[in-house]
Amino acid sequence: MSRLLKICFLLMSMNHAEITHSQNSEDLPPLLHKAVEEVITGKYLNALLDILHFQSSNVWTADMLTKVMAYFHAQEVMFTLSSLQMSIKSYLKNLLYQPRQLLSEFQQLDQQQFQTAMKYLFNSRKDHLEVGNIILDWDKTRERIFQSPGVNRTLFLITLDKCFLALSALDCVDILSQVLRVSAVNYLQPDVVGSLPNILLEDAFRNLSTVFKDLYDKTSANTQRALYGWMKQILQKSCNTSEFNESTSWVSAENLWILGRYMVHLPLEEILKISLNEIRLFISYDNATKQLDTVYDITPELAQAFLERINSSGFDMRNTSTIYRLGLLVCFYDDTEQMDAAVARALLHQMIKCNQLRGFQAEVQKLKSQLLNIAMQNQTLNDILGSLSDAVVGLTSSQLESLSPEAVHNAIATLNQVSGWTKSQVMILSSKYLSYEKVLSFYNVSQMGTLVTGISTQSFYSMNPKELSQIIRGTTSQYLSDLSPAQQQGILRKIAASGDFSSSVKDIQGAFFKEISLSGLWKQTGYNSSMMKEKELRRSQALYLYELLSKKNYPVDLLSTGQLVKGVTCQLIESMGTDIFLDNFKFFEMNLHLLSPYQVNCLAWKFWKVSNASIPPFLLLVLPIEYLEYVSGPLCVSFIGSLGKTEMDLLNPSLHKKNAVLQKVQECLNSSVADEYDVELLGNLICHLPPAFLHGRMSLKAMATALHQFKLCQQLNHEQKTEIKYKLLELYGSPNNWTAETTLDVGPFIALLSKGELNVLAEKFPDIILQIAKTIGPISSAEELLSTVFESISSSTANIESSLTRPDCLGTSAPSSDEIIKLAEANVFWSVQALKCMDAGTFDKNVELLGTVSGFNSSQLIALKEKAKQVWGSLPDWKSYHIVSLGRIALALTEHEIEQLDLHSIDTISVLSQQTEWTLTQARSILQGFLEDSGQTISTLKSFDLVGLGAILCALNSTEILSLRTAEFSAAVARIGLLFCSTPVLRQFKQMTESVFGTATSWNGSVLQEIGTIAGGLNEDELKAFDKKLMPYFQPIAIRCIPPEIFQALSPEQIANLGPENAAMVTRSQREHLNASQLQSLQLALDGARTSTPETQHSASTTQAVQTPAPSVYTGQVMLASMLMDVLQCSLFEWLRHLVVCCVYTAPAFLNPRLLSLSVPELTKEMLEIKSCSSA
């Protein structure tokens, strides 16, 4: 913004001496004279725009600025260079941080000034503006303007208010389009839609309608309804009113096309009135199918009304060409009587897109099932498998098991593209396909697409290593991240054993690379920075690779890869030169989500050391609390804005510090969230506002905008949710009066309503309530809502009794497939008796979905397990895919029942190990079953076996652990380090780890990161022996695993160096074992205090924790000194020389931190009272 001022006044070419001769206004061109008068009255924005307009058609002459300054003098306005420049710069700069004031300023612009502003902001094609010898990077300036909090909202509102009166409608539509793409969901509220012009030329209306169609998914349901109303109003005006009445519709083919996705808001009766000629014309449009493919939120009633009109208009609804034109309307096709099999297959082919619908999946599955039966008339499943599209997902495991290998082979081109397979289905189909192919090769695997996840780990391990290397490089690599950790480990272990690993490492991309062990990386060579750009790294890998690559690469080459920032240590940050650090800081900022809180803390201290005046405000969060004093006045906006764009939980502040930060935020907001501007400034911070603040300090105006932001919050507590509920009731009134759109907008927060209120909504909008409930999650978060959904669904089918003829099932309403699909987590409310009475076919079809219900109790799980026995036969007959499909139901298996299962496959074990509720005896039975059925012993287990066993490994005894092979253990150690085993087991794993990485006292940071919870097995002496600099490299989950009596052995210095994240993981019982000195050190770590001075950062002999002084007075000096250097455009040395030699007597005023709290006008007045160097 300072360069903008140089454009206005050519200050770079101006002499510091004041101009003293008189000047008449007649010597100045009228527009320039107007600008000068605006400067005198403080209307700097108006002046800037007038001068920009003046220079667009006039050439600056050498004496023009002289005349301007002379006029100032003639008006007895005693501006000095520094005071004038500082006043204008501060004023314009602060406008960017005061968007409400900016709106007011814009509203006062005359038409010419407004046109100039819009021209330079939105229509200027110049990258740079040149005035004399001044070159302005206009692109960068504009970018900064648009990134300022609230400025985009101001531009949006002022465009609505003034643009259509000052510019052409097409230009205004273009401007609205640019602004709305930043945040349509916040700007386009229903009340704002009412401000849209209701008279527009056709081209402008079409363009603006297109903008709204593109932004459909980014707007609320109430806004969508309001925009539909606005479009309808204009479209009706454009119709000849005499041409339509109560029996005819204003909806023409062209109007349907203009409405686009907003066509779903047409009332049912309006659809039924649409002229058949217009419907015929619309469906004939080439783009009709594309439009109908996007009506994701259409309801069955509206879809069927459209289908009825299309049918009545003369289209043959069973013609393949017509079916292809129907888009998502096919999902609600309801005329299946006497349908030909070919028509059914054509419909199934089109229904592959129905999974994009918002809800109604149970109805879709039912229709697919009907069409599937029709498509199979007089044909076998083997014959038509490849023509059933994704309806094959609806086949039961027994139907898939009946397929021939040849049929699966012939249909693979269709099967490999289908999404939505369950794990058991994929296992069956993969097995069928591979049994036909006989040999597993690169070509065969590349044909499998999504089915590649069904290949067994042992099959991968049995492949030729060169073929596996081709898989890593080929198109199949996109599916590798979908493989289980055991499957990935099987591939890596085989390639590593072949000796061809080094050449393959560079080809391993994405998350798959994270499965390479640290010891595996050590053995390879040939790494370079460019090969790291497409890989995801564990922190242990990044620490090793950054240190290795830093010997031959510049920091910019390593940091620009993204993932390698995980490997930057505090020592490396501290050793960076100032210029290198500041130049590369952008890479840290861009990858903040990859950094640990400890790394962010190190960055903050480094920034404070080298350039505390320009430290990014969000970094103050990780410094000790007293550094928040730095935030006041103008810094408030940038502080809140930067924190709002950051996930505060990523920075992991302690509760005490978090409360202090939130208190500072409230101070900066003057203790209220007044309107939309405050909501946008807060960003993610809104998720952390305390309940009391939400209750008394958030206006209803702000709440309307905040609702969308609240829905994005991941961890609102009960008290916050309660206050949000009361705000919503205040905003929208009683739920008894809510519309469908309001219910959709409130979304997951309906779970906070009372049972009575939920019953009202469920009766009015059952489909919407069902749609919302699907997104809610476990029962603990929404018991009343899920209960309401269950009652609503089950009562609508209460007359359907169990098909079982058992006496105990008479009168029992058993779950149907439709109900199970609709209910999802709400299936938890089925009684044990209802589950026992479930039809065998229903169970077989839905077992996998039932296995995902997190709320089933042990009695329900036992009932489902017994049902599985009835359906699948005795336990020894169960296939691997049966066991895998059980999900949580498997938890009901007793130790004796587990012994009867066929557990030979590590892939079966891998799925079982994902359940976290096994008892130790159950886990032991699974382990024994796997060893016996696979014919292995502990000493023959491969790394992929260890990875697949997962939490089951916690059932190993000490003898078994020590019999593991070192090479296999080392390849799996990172996965084992994620387990929460008992302390005795961790101690044995620690002993095994020493056989890989050497004695514990020799471990470095990357090893500590690699082994995770295994570090919880360290003994007292080993823990005490660690250098304090290594304490941050313990994984946070490892800290919790250290027994309290061992944890207390840490010295105060070690504890002070834990880092904020590890300190936050210290448990209550661990704290209780610490003495006062240790607790004080723990608080230092939590606060992010500096634990060593820069000079002694590397010295092992430094033991005394040193805190940097609080910033109070120093902050004032730094900020004001920086401001004055900016104003005077001189170096630090020059400024100090001026200060000392010329202005000694003014120094106390310059360094007065009180100036920081002044407003811009007050600050300007203060500075004018301080005599300039030239006059001194």
Side-chain angles (χ1 to χ4, degrees):
M1 189 54 75
S2 62
R3 289 196 173 179
L4 277 175
L5 302 174
K6 294 173 192 173
I7 285 181
C8 302
F9 303 107
L10 294 178
L11 289 171
M12 291 283 288
S13 62
M14 176 184 173
N15 190 286
H16 281 218
E18 295 181 24
I19 300 171
T20 57
H21 64 278
S22 63
Q23 183 71 40
N24 295 322
S25 63
E26 288 78 10
D27 293 339
L28 293 174
L31 191 56
L32 200 53
H33 173 252
K34 179 170 175 273
V36 172
E37 287 292 340
E38 286 163 337
V39 169
I40 293 172
T41 57
K43 295 182 177 179
Y44 300 130
L45 178 61
N46 304 60
L48 169 64
L49 293 169
D50 281 336
I51 291 170
L52 283 173
H53 182 58
F54 173 80
Q55 74 169 23
S56 67
S57 56
N58 294 275
V59 178
W60 284 88
T61 59
D63 65 337
M64 201 167 285
L65 194 58
T66 305
K67 291 179 181 180
V68 169
M69 295 308 294
Y71 183 76
F72 282 144
H73 184 77
Q75 300 300 311
E76 298 184 350
V77 178
M78 296 300 142
F79 279 127
T80 63
L81 168 64
S82 56
S83 63
L84 175 61
Q85 184 172 350
M86 185 178 71
S87 296
I88 300 172
K89 176 186 174 181
S90 297
Y91 174 82
L92 292 175
K93 183 177 181 181
N94 276 292
L95 271 185
L96 294 182
Y97 293 110
Q98 297 176 18
R100 298 179 192 86
Q101 178 65 25
L102 180 62
L103 178 61
S104 176
E105 298 278 342
F106 263 118
Q107 287 169 336
Q108 295 172 42
L109 298 180
D110 62 35
Q111 187 162 316
Q112 184 59 66
Q113 290 166 339
F114 180 80
Q115 288 174 350
T116 302
M118 296 295 104
K119 170 188 170 184
Y120 279 93
L121 283 169
F122 295 103
N123 296 324
S124 175
R125 298 187 182 278
K126 295 182 179 180
D127 296 332
H128 296 81
L129 296 178
E130 296 185 22
V131 182
N133 63 341
I134 304 301
I135 299 177
L136 169 69
D137 184 347
W138 182 233
D139 266 357
K140 198 168 185 179
T141 304
R142 208 164 25 185
E143 182 183 348
R144 183 179 170 189
I145 289 170
F146 290 136
Q147 286 178 350
S148 297
V151 170
N152 272 289
R153 175 176 288 279
T154 287
L155 293 175
F156 171 69
L157 293 176
I158 202 64
T159 302
L160 280 183
D161 185 34
K162 294 178 74 92
C163 189
F164 289 94
L165 300 174
L167 299 177
S168 76
L170 283 172
D171 285 341
C172 295
V173 169
D174 182 54
I175 291 169
L176 282 175
S177 171
Q178 292 182 57
V179 177
L180 281 172
R181 292 184 196 284
V182 176
S183 185
V185 70
N186 284 336
Y187 303 160
L188 276 177
Q189 295 294 331
D191 59 327
V192 174
V193 174
S195 305
L196 292 172
N198 53 20
I199 299 176
L200 276 177
L201 295 175
E202 185 178 355
D203 285 350
F205 171 68
R206 283 174 177 268
N207 289 357
L208 192 51
S209 298
T210 300
V211 172
F212 292 148
K213 284 189 282 187
D214 290 343
L215 298 172
Y216 188 91
D217 286 321
K218 295 182 180 179
T219 52
S220 68
N222 271 309
T223 298
Q224 290 166 3
R225 171 65 72 177
L227 286 169
Y228 160 76
W230 173 79
M231 295 166 78
K232 171 187 171 183
Q233 181 185 17
I234 293 181
L235 289 171
Q236 282 184 328
K237 283 181 181 177
S238 67
C239 294
N240 188 335
T241 52
S242 63
E243 292 179 3
F244 65 93
N245 50 47
E246 289 186 6
S247 61
T248 60
S249 175
W250 57 272
V251 182
S252 64
E254 187 175 17
N255 289 351
L256 272 176
W257 173 242
I258 291 171
L259 283 171
R261 291 182 62 182
Y262 291 90
M263 66 187 284
V264 303
H265 295 279
L266 285 165
L268 183 64
E269 56 273 16
E270 193 69 59
I271 296 170
L272 295 174
K273 290 195 306 185
I274 299 174
S275 158
L276 296 181
N277 285 335
E278 296 297 333
I279 279 286
R280 190 184 308 112
L281 185 58
F282 174 69
I283 295 296
S284 299
Y285 283 169
D286 289 338
N287 284 326
T289 304
K290 182 179 178 183
Q291 179 169 322
L292 292 172
D293 276 345
T294 64
V295 288
Y296 311 120
D297 50 346
I298 197 165
T299 63
E301 295 76 21
L302 295 184
Q304 282 161 8
F306 275 116
L307 287 170
E308 187 275 323
R309 296 307 281 167
I310 295 167
N311 184 35
S312 299
S313 70
F315 280 97
D316 179 359
M317 300 300 281
R318 297 194 174 183
N319 180 283
T320 304
S321 176
T322 303
I323 290 170
Y324 286 174
R325 288 180 172 275
L326 296 178
L328 290 175
L329 298 182
V330 297
C331 308
F332 305 98
Y333 197 98
D334 60 350
D335 180 19
T336 58
E337 287 187 21
Q338 298 181 340
M339 181 178 285
D340 182 77
V343 176
R345 288 196 291 273
L347 283 165
L348 286 172
H349 182 72
Q350 286 301 294
M351 288 185 74
I352 197 167
K353 58 187 82 164
C354 293
N355 59 3
Q356 299 177 70
L357 283 173
R358 310 270 164 81
F360 310 111
Q361 290 304 312
E363 290 82 353
V364 169
Q365 293 302 323
K366 189 173 183 179
L367 176 57
K368 283 183 178 179
S369 182
Q370 291 174 357
L371 294 173
L372 191 59
N373 290 333
I374 296 170
M376 291 172 59
Q377 286 175 357
N378 303 319
Q379 296 187 76
T380 66
L381 191 55
N382 282 327
D383 294 333
I384 63 165
L385 183 63
S387 62
L388 298 179
S389 191
D390 71 338
V392 289
V393 170
L395 297 173
T396 64
S397 55
S398 54
Q399 285 176 305
L400 293 176
E401 188 65 72
S402 70
L403 291 168
S404 70
E406 184 180 11
V408 174
H409 174 267
N410 293 337
I412 196 67
T414 298
L415 301 177
N416 66 11
Q417 297 179 51
V418 171
S419 60
W421 293 115
T422 63
K423 178 68 176 172
S424 59
Q425 287 176 316
V426 170
M427 289 173 69
I428 296 169
L429 289 170
S430 296
S431 175
K432 294 279 183 185
Y433 175 74
L434 296 176
S435 67
Y436 179 86
E437 296 294 347
K438 307 301 183 195
V439 178
L440 189 58
S441 66
F442 163 68
Y443 174 77
N444 296 336
V445 172
S446 67
Q447 299 301 301
M448 295 180 70
T450 56
L451 297 180
V452 76
T453 57
I455 300 174
S456 73
T457 299
Q458 189 60 50
S459 296
F460 276 126
Y461 188 72
S462 302
M463 280 184 71
N464 181 301
K466 290 186 177 178
E467 301 262 6
L468 283 173
S469 296
Q470 283 183 286
I471 290 173
I472 290 172
R473 298 185 186 99
T475 55
T476 309
S477 62
Q478 64 183 301
Y479 302 110
L480 293 181
S481 59
D482 298 327
L483 298 179
S484 71
Q487 289 169 311
Q488 293 178 343
Q489 185 62 220
I491 293 172
L492 291 174
R493 202 76 188 105
K494 186 57 175 278
I495 296 175
S498 71
D500 188 35
F501 197 48
S502 290
S503 60
S504 298
V505 164
K506 65 178 182 296
D507 296 313
I508 299 174
Q509 305 297 342
F512 191 23
F513 191 85
K514 294 170 77 171
E515 295 302 320
I516 301 175
S517 68
L518 180 62
S519 57
L521 287 182
W522 286 357
K523 297 171 186 174
Q524 313 309 322
T525 57
Y527 301 113
N528 61 62
S529 59
S530 61
M531 73 167 58
M532 296 296 148
K533 290 185 178 177
E534 303 299 325
K535 305 183 192 309
E536 286 185 41
L537 306 178
R538 295 197 315 280
R539 203 166 297 283
S540 59
Q541 294 171 319
L543 283 164
Y544 167 68
L545 289 169
Y546 193 98
E547 182 182 9
L548 179 71
L549 294 171
S550 63
K551 297 169 184 175
K552 295 183 179 180
N553 292 270
Y554 293 110
V556 65
D557 297 324
L558 302 182
L559 298 176
S560 61
T561 64
Q563 289 280 323
L564 277 175
V565 299
K566 294 178 181 177
V568 181
T569 64
C570 261
Q571 286 81 3
L572 284 167
I573 292 171
E574 186 59 45
S575 66
M576 285 183 181
T578 298
D579 290 342
I580 291 176
F581 174 76
L582 294 176
D583 288 345
N584 289 290
F585 181 76
K586 62 187 176 189
F587 296 117
F588 292 115
E589 199 165 17
M590 286 161 48
N591 295 291
L592 196 63
H593 61 289
L594 300 178
L595 299 175
S596 69
Y598 177 65
Q599 287 175 301
V600 178
N601 181 251
C602 297
L603 287 171
W605 279 119
K606 178 68 174 182
F607 219 121
W608 183 263
K609 174 187 172 186
V610 303
S611 184
N612 53 12
S614 61
I615 187 171
F618 74 87
L619 287 181
L620 296 173
L621 173 65
V622 301
L623 295 177
I625 289 173
E626 54 267 29
Y627 284 77
L628 292 174
E629 295 175 24
Y630 183 73
V631 179
S632 62
L635 266 185
C636 262
V637 174
S638 55
F639 174 69
I640 298 177
S642 64
L643 273 186
K645 294 174 184 174
T646 309
E647 288 292 345
M648 183 150 55
D649 291 334
L650 286 177
L651 305 178
N652 201 45
S654 64
L655 182 60
H656 177 53
K657 187 186 291 187
K658 184 176 177 180
N659 290 337
V661 169
L662 293 174
Q663 185 60 44
K664 175 60 68 174
V665 167
Q666 293 171 51
E667 288 174 20
C668 284
L669 290 172
N670 294 321
S671 298
S672 71
V673 180
D675 56 21
E676 305 94 327
Y677 284 108
D678 287 341
V679 172
E680 282 168 2
L681 179 62
L682 279 166
N684 296 323
L685 271 177
I686 206 166
C687 304
H688 303 280
L689 293 177
F693 189 79
L694 295 175
H695 173 74
R697 301 293 184 175
M698 176 172 278
S699 72
L700 289 184
K701 187 178 182 182
M703 186 64 196
T705 302
L707 176 57
H708 170 73
Q709 195 67 42
F710 279 130
K711 285 198 280 189
L712 300 177
C713 299
Q714 298 294 313
Q715 294 180 318
L716 292 171
N717 61 39
H718 176 71
E719 291 75 19
Q720 285 175 306
K721 289 178 180 178
T722 301
E723 294 303 335
I724 290 170
K725 178 184 80 169
Y726 290 134
K727 282 292 178 188
L728 290 172
L729 293 176
E730 200 178 342
L731 180 66
Y732 294 123
S734 167
N736 296 344
N737 302 321
W738 285 4
T739 63
E741 288 76 25
T742 296
T743 307
L744 274 170
D745 286 343
V746 173
F749 291 115
I750 65 167
L752 306 173
L753 299 175
S754 69
K755 188 66 186 293
E757 291 166 331
L758 286 168
N759 285 335
V760 170
L761 291 176
E763 190 173 338
K764 287 168 65 177
F765 315 117
D767 294 326
I768 292 174
I769 299 302
L770 193 59
Q771 181 182 329
I772 294 171
K774 288 264 192 180
T775 66
I776 286 294
I779 185 172
S780 58
S781 63
E783 184 167 357
E784 294 282 19
L785 173 60
L786 295 177
S787 168
T788 302
V789 166
F790 178 81
E791 290 165 8
S792 173
I793 297 298
S794 57
S795 64
S796 65
T797 55
N799 58 336
I800 302 174
E801 293 188 3
S802 170
S803 61
L804 297 183
T805 56
R806 288 169 19 192
D808 59 339
C809 288
L810 293 174
T812 300
S813 294
S816 67
S817 282
D818 274 5
E819 290 172 318
I820 291 170
I821 294 170
K822 286 180 178 178
L823 289 171
E825 188 65 25
N827 279 296
V828 73
F829 290 101
W830 289 113
S831 68
V832 170
Q833 187 62 27
L835 295 174
K836 286 180 178 178
C837 295
M838 192 190 316
D839 177 73
T842 301
F843 176 83
D844 197 26
K845 192 171 185 179
N846 298 285
V847 59
E848 213 129 353
L849 198 159
L850 291 168
T852 64
V853 177
S854 62
F856 277 141
N857 61 34
S858 58
S859 299
Q860 290 168 310
L861 293 175
I862 289 170
L864 289 168
K865 176 195 70 176
E866 294 302 323
K867 178 61 64 177
K869 289 181 181 178
Q870 291 174 24
V871 177
W872 298 334
S874 62
L875 293 169
D877 295 332
W878 287 11
K879 307 284 187 188
S880 289
Y881 62 80
H882 287 133
I883 302 169
V884 162
S885 67
L886 286 172
R888 285 191 72 244
I889 300 169
L891 294 169
L893 292 165
T894 65
E895 291 81 13
H896 175 66
E897 287 171 329
I898 291 171
E899 289 170 7
Q900 297 179 61
L901 296 173
D902 177 4
L903 297 178
H904 77 280
S905 169
I906 190 58
D907 300 291
T908 305
I909 304 299
S910 179
V911 174
L912 291 175
S913 71
Q914 291 171 18
Q915 300 301 326
T916 58
E917 304 163 72
W918 295 113
T919 65
L920 187 59
T921 51
Q922 282 177 312
R924 188 73 199 174
S925 293
I926 293 171
L927 175 65
Q928 287 301 131
F930 170 64
L931 293 174
E932 291 171 10
D933 294 343
S934 65
Q936 296 199 76
T937 63
I938 297 293
S939 62
T940 63
L941 293 177
K942 300 279 195 304
S943 61
F944 54 81
D945 294 320
L946 300 178
V947 169
L949 281 162
I952 306 299
L953 289 173
C954 293
L956 289 169
N957 61 41
S958 57
T959 304
E960 290 169 332
I961 291 173
L962 295 178
S963 67
L964 291 169
R965 282 189 287 179
T966 302
E968 305 303 327
F969 178 83
S970 68
V973 70
R975 282 281 169 185
I976 297 172
L978 298 174
L979 306 177
F980 291 94
C981 300
S982 66
T983 300
V985 171
L986 291 179
R987 284 177 180 153
Q988 296 304 318
F989 280 143
K990 188 269 300 182
Q991 196 170 335
M992 279 298 301
T993 303
E994 288 185 306
S995 67
V996 178
F997 297 116
T999 58
T1001 52
S1002 68
W1003 294 347
N1004 59 20
S1006 59
V1007 171
L1008 283 172
Q1009 280 289 314
E1010 179 81 350
I1011 66 173
T1013 57
I1014 296 174
L1018 292 163
N1019 64 37
E1020 191 173 323
D1021 292 334
E1022 290 166 336
L1023 199 57
K1024 282 195 298 186
F1026 275 104
D1027 189 295
K1028 64 179 183 179
K1029 293 199 293 279
L1030 289 175
M1031 299 312 296
Y1033 298 103
F1034 281 84
Q1035 279 198 36
I1037 54 174
I1039 298 296
R1040 302 184 79 94
C1041 294
I1042 301 173
E1045 63 275 11
I1046 303 293
F1047 188 79
Q1048 69 179 347
L1050 290 170
S1051 69
E1053 290 76 20
Q1054 285 176 307
I1055 293 174
N1057 280 273
L1058 277 171
E1061 189 176 20
N1062 283 348
M1065 297 299 283
V1066 174
T1067 65
R1068 177 180 293 182
S1069 59
Q1070 287 171 330
R1071 280 174 176 267
E1072 289 170 352
H1073 282 69
L1074 301 180
N1075 61 36
S1077 177
Q1078 289 172 313
L1079 286 171
Q1080 185 179 10
S1081 293
L1082 182 62
Q1083 192 58 52
L1084 286 176
L1086 285 168
D1087 285 346
R1090 190 167 207 145
T1091 51
S1092 62
T1093 60
E1095 291 75 22
T1096 58
Q1097 187 85 23
H1098 299 275
S1099 171
S1101 63
T1102 304
T1103 56
Q1104 184 62 41
V1106 180
Q1107 282 186 279
T1108 301
S1112 53
V1113 175
Y1114 180 55
T1115 296
Q1117 299 167 351
V1118 170
M1119 284 189 67
L1120 204 51
S1122 174
M1123 185 185 296
L1124 287 169
M1125 282 188 283
D1126 202 14
V1127 167
L1128 296 171
Q1129 297 292 307
C1130 57
S1131 68
L1132 175 62
F1133 175 79
E1134 290 170 327
W1135 182 77
L1136 287 172
R1137 185 165 60 83
H1138 273 295
L1139 184 64
V1140 175
V1141 177
C1142 302
C1143 310
V1144 172
Y1145 71 95
T1146 65
F1150 273 101
L1151 298 179
N1152 184 357
R1154 182 180 66 82
L1155 294 177
L1156 294 176
S1157 62
L1158 298 180
S1159 66
V1160 172
E1162 291 170 330
L1163 184 59
T1164 304
K1165 183 180 176 184
E1166 282 283 342
M1167 298 307 297
L1168 286 173
E1169 289 175 3
I1170 300 173
K1171 294 185 178 182
S1172 69
C1173 292
S1174 57
S1175 61

